[in-house]
């Protein structure tokens, strides 16, 4: 007789990093009591948490209004909740940005690949691929004030490929980790 043990995984914090034990990511999706899913399956490290920090580059704020999840360029990210795409454009320090809105929430995904998968007005289902992690350097953005140390224009205030995830409720920024 064979018994299968299904484990439910809770994020474990280690030195500012969020990680899950090795598992099938789909097992995690139904566990979260807030109803959110992690935005980049397989990438759980947090390189810059919510709150006060030393600004990593010129133009980045010393208070971080989200979390940064490093991932290779072109890594797919998903909708953490059902909603509607309400913004899709280059947005200052966030670079190429998507906003997913529902109820009184706005979820921002920053430093995206500008080869968009979704458009403003699209109705999105939780878990749906909505974008990819963008490149560090982007070209042809009129008025982009962000550059790396080599003088190449960057995807907002960034030092490399990652997804910045921000959560606002009634326009007030919240720590995204509190929702996972």
């Amino acid at each position: 007789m064979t018994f299968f043990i299904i484990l439910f995984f809770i994020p474990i914090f280690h030195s500012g990093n969020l990680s899950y034990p090795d598992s099938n990511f789909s097992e995690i999706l139904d566990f979260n009591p807030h109803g959110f899913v992690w935005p980049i399956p397989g990438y759980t490290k947090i390189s810059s948490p919510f709150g006060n920090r030393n600004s990593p580059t010129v133009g980045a704020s010393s208070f971080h209004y989200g979390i940064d999840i490093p991932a290779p360029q072109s890594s797919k990210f998903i909708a953490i909740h059902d909603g509607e795409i309400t913004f899709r454009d280059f947005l200052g320090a966030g670079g190429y940005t998507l906003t997913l809105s529902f109820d009184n929430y706005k979820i921002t995904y920053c430093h995206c690949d500008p080869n968009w998968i979704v458009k403003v007005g699209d109705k999105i289902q939780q878990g749906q691929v909505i974008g990819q992690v963008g490149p560090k350097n982007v070209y042809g953005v009129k008025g982009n004030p962000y550059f790396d140390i080599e003088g190449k224009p960057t995807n907002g205030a960034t030092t490399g490929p990652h997804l910045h995830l921000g959560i606002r409720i009634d326009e007030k920024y919240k720590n995204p980790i509190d929702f996972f």
Side-chain angles (χ1 to χ4, degrees):
M1 180 183 234
T2 304
F3 291 95
F4 293 97
I5 299 172
I6 298 175
L7 298 175
F8 294 94
F9 296 100
I10 299 173
I12 302 169
F13 292 93
H14 297 285
S15 305
N17 295 332
L18 174 66
S19 61
Y20 293 100
D22 291 337
S23 71
N24 178 344
F25 192 78
S26 65
E27 294 173 357
I28 299 167
L29 299 181
D30 295 325
F31 180 70
N32 186 317
H34 295 287
F36 293 91
V37 296
W38 190 251
I40 309 181
Y43 296 95
T44 56
K45 179 182 178 187
I46 295 174
S47 59
S48 185
F50 183 87
N52 292 320
R53 68 176 180 175
N54 290 326
S55 180
T57 185
V58 174
S61 72
S62 59
F63 188 91
H64 196 218
Y65 291 95
I67 58 173
D68 288 346
I69 306 164
Q73 178 180 332
S74 300
S75 298
K76 294 176 179 160
F77 59 84
I78 62 175
I80 67 171
H81 196 278
D82 294 350
E84 180 180 343
I85 301 299
T86 56
F87 182 84
R88 183 189 87 169
D89 207 346
F90 193 88
L91 186 63
Y96 285 104
T97 299
L98 284 176
T99 300
L100 176 72
S101 300
F102 57 94
D103 300 331
N104 56 338
Y105 286 77
K106 288 186 181 176
I107 312 300
T108 53
Y109 300 81
C110 300
H111 312 296
C112 303
D113 188 307
N115 295 307
W116 304 108
I117 294 173
V118 296
K119 64 184 180 314
V120 171
D122 283 354
K123 305 293 189 228
I124 303 298
Q125 297 296 307
Q126 182 180 58
Q128 180 179 338
V129 173
I130 58 172
Q132 296 180 8
V133 173
K136 172 186 173 185
N137 300 106
V138 294
Y139 300 89
V141 178
K142 187 175 180 180
N144 182 3
Y146 302 99
F147 294 88
D148 64 17
I149 58 173
E150 297 173 354
K152 297 177 183 173
T154 57
N155 192 355
T158 184
T159 58
H162 70 281
L163 179 70
H164 169 95
L165 181 73
I167 296 180
R168 287 177 283 166
I169 302 174
D170 295 324
E171 298 301 325
K172 294 180 184 166
Y173 285 94
K174 303 293 181 180
N175 185 348
I177 288 302
D178 293 343
F179 298 87
F180 295 101

